[in-house]
Amino acid sequence: MSGLKKLGRKRTTAALAVVGALAVSLLVGSPAKADSTSFDIAVGTAPNDIAVAGNGDVYVATSSGVSVIDADTRKVTTVDVGGVAQGVATLGSSTAYVSVAGKAGADGSIAIVEGATLAGKVKTGPDPRLVAVNQVTWKVYAAYGNGITVIDPWTGHSTVDIPYYTATPRSVVVDSSKNRVFVTTDGVHTIIDGQTNEKTVYVSGAGNVVNHAINTRTNAVYQTLVGTSYSEVGRVDESNHAVNTFRGSEKFGKLAIDYWTDTLYVEALGGAGNSSILLINPASATKIAQVSLPSRPTALAVDSTRHRTYATLGGGGVSVIDSSNTSTVVRTGAQPVAVAVHEYTGTAYVANKGSSSVTVLDPADPLPVKNDFNGDRAADVLARDGSGVLWLYPGDGAAGWLDRRQVGQGWNVMTAIVAPGDFNGDGHSDILARDTSGVLWLYGGNSSGGWMPRVQVGAGWNAMSAITGVGDFGGDGHLDVAARDSGGTLWLYPGNGKGGWMPRVQIGSGWSSMPDIVGVGDFNTDGASDVMARDSAGRLWLYPGNGAGGWLPQVQYGQGWNGMTALFATGDFSGDRKADIMARDSSGALWLFSGSGGAKWPIGSVIGQGWNGMTAIL
């Protein structure tokens, strides 16, 4: 394939030298089991809050404005928002809403930051603190001194004030599925109807509600409550009653959730002043474990992908609780007050108020990159030529190529080849292949462009007219495969994370009109795996998954795709942390459509020629 175009761009990684005002600090003692490196980035004065956007950029609310940390270069840009930035929440790829305090007694504002640019400001009540965003309606909820300001971006950022809270709200949690907002003040909590902005006040006779949290996958809402002689944590039902409650003698406070396992992480303060984190199974209302902390936590955040919990400590440092419920304290800057995690990369960011810095914790065990067959953490392409030779075309991590090499022969006996990702759970990208007799084989990758001995993982697959890897479509943390039978029924074959299967489940019918069905990962960046399909009329459709084995409404992404002779997805080939799609046209040109992470369809670019000699591309 001499006509292959090489873009020659150098890949940008987190291992590049950090630019900007950066103070590198080594760990004190041994590194945490869960995280291998820790260093500090200087930001604005006295950080108050921190959040990570969809593109990985980090937004830090500080007393001197908003510090924006570029995800790749880690360069810091300061945005002047005209006051002290106190709280921050992100929406989509690169938008942040930041609460800005006004002068004493005066109204404050919400600053809208797009990328690293101030895009506008909206007035709120006095002294706004917490900010929350409904990821479906895009409404913004800013908690000020004794109320909530609701900002609606669809009506020119018009505002509605919901006043008369007894104190400054201490937590604001949005249930996007039911369009409700849970607000916790000192012992009293309210629910705001997201449609009407009406407020309902609830006073619990059993004690004072302290905090709320929501499982964004199941949409279950939980609360902690402190009574006179006990505390409890439990789910809030439709009547706003706590059900399946767990009681303890400690004083419960902050609350966080692993949305995959539905494990609750609860701050518990003992009578002697000792602090710990309780791990609670809310379904059975039982304690899973209790992890002691050296000091009281100032903030909690969970990486549900890797099942890690980060508790910043009032006495300094961050306690990292791993999947074995073992805690290791990692050094941070002075006075850590907030923590945020980017689950795609596993990087955690701790805002340190006392040292005006952000501590970055890079994970020791990052998740495998889909289609990374040579172990360089960049997505690659596999292609079979007419003689059955299998070729690896390594990506350079920036939409370009490294030199191709042969990684197999005799592959013309395969009637389907699929790249599902790390199907057997060993940390390497794998492929599945169906032979002419209908046997399905797993070729485990070794991350060096080679294969482990193949293993039969199925038979009778010649009844399937389409097979594709669909990521973790079922929402159990394991990669799955979807297949269409001759009748047009679409089946989900859930993986068990070890190279085997759970019982299959029907997830659709009438799919026989689709010549191409492609698993594209989380294409719309809502946290769930999606599927893209081309119909016989040449229209391209996105079928968003709901994260639990079902679907959200389909969206048309384009038309005129009948000119493409192949359609496939490699994950993030362009290096912007968003899922992409590739296509080959009738002339043999290879096109990259770099995903935008939203509804906007990207403009395609040609990244290769001479691909019409390939009988399979994945």
Side-chain angles (χ1 to χ4, degrees), residues 320-397:
V320 185
I321 303 172
D322 63 22
S323 58
S324 65
N325 301 329
T326 300
S327 171
T328 305
V329 176
V330 179
R331 182 214 61 83
T332 65
Q335 196 183 348
V337 294
V339 58
V341 184
H342 190 229
E343 289 196 27
Y344 184 93
T345 62
T347 301
Y349 301 89
V350 178
N352 306 303
K353 192 163 191 172
S355 56
S356 298
S357 65
V358 168
T359 301
V360 181
L361 283 74
D362 283 323
D365 53 346
L367 292 180
V369 174
K370 185 183 186 300
N371 273 48
D372 174 21
F373 296 105
N374 61 359
D376 66 353
R377 300 203 56 78
D380 309 318
V381 172
L382 287 173
R384 179 187 63 189
D385 65 22
S387 64
V389 173
L390 192 65
W391 297 93
L392 173 65
Y393 291 85
D396 70 355

Side-chain angles (χ1 to χ4, degrees), residues 31 41 67 95 248 420 551 576 603 609:
I41 299 177
S67 294
T95 300
W551 305 99
D576 63 355
I603 298 174
Q609 299 285 353

Side-chain angles (χ1 to χ4, degrees), residues 159 168 241 260 298 325 330 426 436:
T159 62
T168 300
H241 297 137
W260 284 129
T298 57
N325 301 329
V330 179
D426 65 354
T436 53

Side-chain angles (χ1 to χ4, degrees), residues 133-385:
V133 180
N134 186 318
Q135 299 292 330
V136 174
T137 67
W138 294 8
K139 282 187 177 181
V140 181
Y141 298 86
Y144 62 86
N146 62 346
I148 300 286
T149 297
V150 185
I151 302 170
D152 188 349
W154 298 107
T155 57
H157 291 96
S158 62
T159 62
V160 173
D161 268 1
I162 305 175
Y164 310 122
Y165 282 93
T166 57
T168 300
R170 56 190 304 169
S171 72
V172 180
V173 174
V174 178
D175 177 1
S176 298
S177 66
K178 298 183 177 65
N179 201 8
R180 300 185 301 173
V181 183
F182 292 77
V183 182
T184 310
T185 56
D186 289 337
V188 178
H189 68 109
T190 60
I191 297 179
I192 299 172
D193 185 310
Q195 181 66 35
T196 64
N197 294 323
E198 292 182 356
K199 176 182 68 174
T200 304
V201 179
Y202 293 90
V203 179
S204 174
N208 295 329
V209 175
V210 178
N211 214 325
H212 282 97
I214 183 170
N215 184 322
T216 54
R217 184 175 66 88
T218 65
N219 299 310
V221 178
Y222 300 93
Q223 69 178 25
T224 51
L225 178 145
V226 176
T228 55
S229 59
Y230 65 88
S231 294
E232 69 178 28
V233 58
R235 182 174 61 84
V236 180
D237 67 11
E238 291 298 320
S239 301
N240 199 50
H241 297 137
V243 297
N244 286 23
T245 56
F246 171 85
R247 287 190 175 183
S249 58
E250 301 96 336
K251 183 178 180 180
F252 292 171
K254 298 174 184 64
L255 178 63
I257 301 172
D258 184 324
Y259 59 74
W260 284 129
T261 64
D262 205 34
T263 301
L264 306 181
Y265 292 82
V266 185
E267 173 195 4
L269 181 64
N274 55 303
S275 293
S276 62
I277 297 293
L278 287 173
L279 281 67
I280 305 297
N281 179 342
S284 59
T286 56
K287 180 171 71 174
I288 300 170
Q290 187 163 5
V291 179
S292 296
L293 301 178
S295 59
R296 190 169 184 179
T298 57
L300 295 177
V302 178
D303 177 354
S304 297
T305 301
R306 296 161 188 81
H307 310 300
R308 283 186 201 130
T309 300
Y310 297 84
T312 53
L313 303 173
V318 56
S319 176
V320 185
I321 303 172
D322 63 22
S323 58
S324 65
N325 301 329
T326 300
S327 171
T328 305
V329 176
V330 179
R331 182 214 61 83
T332 65
Q335 196 183 348
V337 294
V339 58
V341 184
H342 190 229
E343 289 196 27
Y344 184 93
T345 62
T347 301
Y349 301 89
V350 178
N352 306 303
K353 192 163 191 172
S355 56
S356 298
S357 65
V358 168
T359 301
V360 181
L361 283 74
D362 283 323
D365 53 346
L367 292 180
V369 174
K370 185 183 186 300
N371 273 48
D372 174 21
F373 296 105
N374 61 359
D376 66 353
R377 300 203 56 78
D380 309 318
V381 172
L382 287 173
R384 179 187 63 189
D385 65 22

